[in-house]
Amino acid sequence: MVAPSEILRAIFSHYQPGRFAALVIALLLAVFAGQPAYAQYEAHPCPGGPGAGEVQVAVAHDGMPLCRRTEPAAPPPPPRIYNLFGSIAWHPDADDVWMSGNWDGPISGQEEALAACNAAMGGGCSSIGEWQNSSMAIARDWNGNLWKGWGANGGTARKEALNVCRQDQPIPCEIIGTFSSGKRRHAPDPALARKRYGAGAWPEGQALRSAAWIATGRASQREATDAAVAACQQANGGKPCVYAAVTGNGVVQPFIAEAGWKSFLPGTSAKRAAETVKAYCSQKRTKCTVQKSYDSRIRGDFVHRFDQ
C-alpha cells in the first residue's frame, strides 16, 4: 500500500496549473473505487461478531465489535395469507341461526353448524354454505322468515341482507346478527329459537269485513293458518275463508283505515307492527288506527271485532 507521504510528493512534484484539480479528482476516484462494497453500509454493534453477509470493521471504545454488511439484507418474505372459513345452518321454524367459524379450511365449519342446529331442532336444518375472510348477516322479515346477505365486511353484509329481505314490506327488515368468518361459534337457546306462529283469517270475497279469526301459539305456519281458517269457516256457516296474515315469533296486528276498510298485518313486535301499519296506510294515502295486537308466541284462539 502506498504511504500518504509518497502520494503527496507525487502530486506536488508534477504540479502544473490547470492539471492539479484533475489529478485530485482522479486520485479520489481511485481511492473510493478501491473501497470494499460494504463501505456504503453504516457500522453497527454486533456483540456476537459478524453475522451472515457482514464483516467486522472496528472495535468501539467499550470493546463492542462493530460490523458492516457486505451485501444488502435479504427482502422480507411475502406476508402469509390466512383463510378463515365460516358457515351457518338454519331451520324454517327457528328464529335464529347456528354458526361455526374460524376454521383454516372448508367443510369442518359446515358440518359443525349443521350438527348443532339439528341437535337443537331435532333435524330438518340446512346449510347456507360457507364463506371466508368476510362476513354474513341475517335479517328477519315481518313474517319471521330469515334472509342472508354476504359482504366483504359487516357493513356490506348487512346492506345486502336488508336488500334481499325487504321484498314488498312497507318498512325495512331487521338485522338479527352479523357473523365474521373468524367468529368461532354462535348457538341460540333452543327454547327461545323455536318459533311459535300466529295467523288471521276472514271470509273470502267480503268487501267490508267486520271480524277476523286469529289463532296463535302454533308450532308451524300450516297449523296456525289451518286453525284460523277452520274457526272462520265454522263461524260463517262453512263459507270459504282465507288467511291474510301469518307470523312466527311476532304479532298479528288489526287496524282500521279512515276510509272505513279494515285489515291486519304481521309484525315481529307490536312496535314494529304499528310502524308497518303507519307506512302501509301512508302508501295508500290514508290514516289508520291500530287496534289490539295478538302475540303469536301465546297460544289462543280469538275473534277480533273491528268495530268494538
Side-chain angles (χ1 to χ4, degrees):
M1 183 174 180
V2 181
S5 60
E6 294 297 328
I7 296 174
L8 293 174
R9 188 179 298 112
I11 293 174
F12 288 105
S13 65
H14 294 84
Y15 173 77
Q16 294 181 20
R19 297 186 61 192
F20 183 73
L23 286 172
V24 172
I25 292 173
L27 179 61
L28 290 174
L29 290 173
V31 170
F32 284 109
Q35 294 297 312
Y38 61 79
Q40 60 181 305
Y41 300 103
E42 292 185 2
H44 61 273
C46 48
E54 295 180 334
V55 293
Q56 183 173 334
V57 294
V59 177
H61 63 83
D62 59 357
M64 175 69 72
L66 300 177
C67 298
R68 280 197 180 111
R69 294 200 61 80
T70 60
E71 58 187 31
R80 181 179 175 185
I81 299 176
Y82 292 91
N83 291 316
L84 297 178
F85 290 78
S87 183
I88 281 178
W90 56 10
H91 190 284
D93 292 328
D95 196 31
D96 208 330
V97 297
W98 286 258
M99 185 269 177
S100 174
N102 202 36
W103 294 92
D104 58 6
I107 308 302
S108 298
Q110 186 172 347
E111 292 177 345
E112 183 179 65
L114 274 171
C117 179
N118 283 320
M121 299 299 293
C125 297
S126 60
S127 173
I128 70 172
E130 293 179 309
W131 70 98
Q132 65 190 75
N133 299 348
S134 52
S135 296
M136 192 73 70
I138 304 297
R140 181 196 292 124
D141 67 16
W142 59 351
N143 296 118
N145 301 317
L146 302 184
W147 302 76
K148 64 182 176 71
W150 172 86
N153 53 56
T156 55
R158 287 188 289 272
K159 183 177 180 181
E160 176 64 16
L162 291 174
N163 182 53
V164 299
C165 175
R166 179 156 188 167
Q167 303 296 312
D168 295 325
Q169 290 187 200
I171 65 172
C173 297
E174 55 186 336
I175 298 294
I176 67 168
T178 305
F179 306 92
S180 165
S181 60
K183 181 180 177 63
R184 180 62 193 94
R185 187 181 291 113
H186 170 79
D189 182 342
L192 300 177
R194 185 175 289 279
K195 290 186 284 191
R196 290 294 180 268
Y197 293 89
W202 50 19
E204 184 179 27
Q206 184 175 327
L208 295 176
R209 299 178 174 95
S210 61
W213 285 259
I214 298 171
T216 58
R218 280 10 188 225
S220 67
Q221 289 191 30
R222 181 65 180 271
E223 184 182 347
T225 56
D226 285 353
V229 169
C232 175
Q233 290 177 336
Q234 183 177 4
N236 288 275
K239 294 179 180 179
C241 290
V242 294
Y243 75 89
V246 62
T247 186
N249 274 20
V251 301
V252 176
Q253 179 63 68
F255 63 94
I256 299 178
E258 281 187 346
W261 50 271
K262 298 105 174 167
S263 189
F264 49 101
L265 292 172
T268 55
S269 68
K271 180 177 182 296
R272 283 182 61 85
E275 293 172 353
T276 299
V277 169
K278 181 178 179 180
Y280 176 80
C281 292
S282 177
Q283 293 174 1
K284 300 295 184 181
R285 300 178 183 237
T286 187
K287 291 184 179 180
C288 297
T289 302
V290 295
Q291 298 183 303
K292 175 185 176 181
S293 60
Y294 298 84
D295 194 325
S296 71
R297 286 158 289 203
I298 301 173
R299 188 176 180 89
D301 296 282
F302 310 94
V303 180
H304 179 83
R305 306 290 180 182
F306 288 98
D307 295 332
Q308 291 182 2

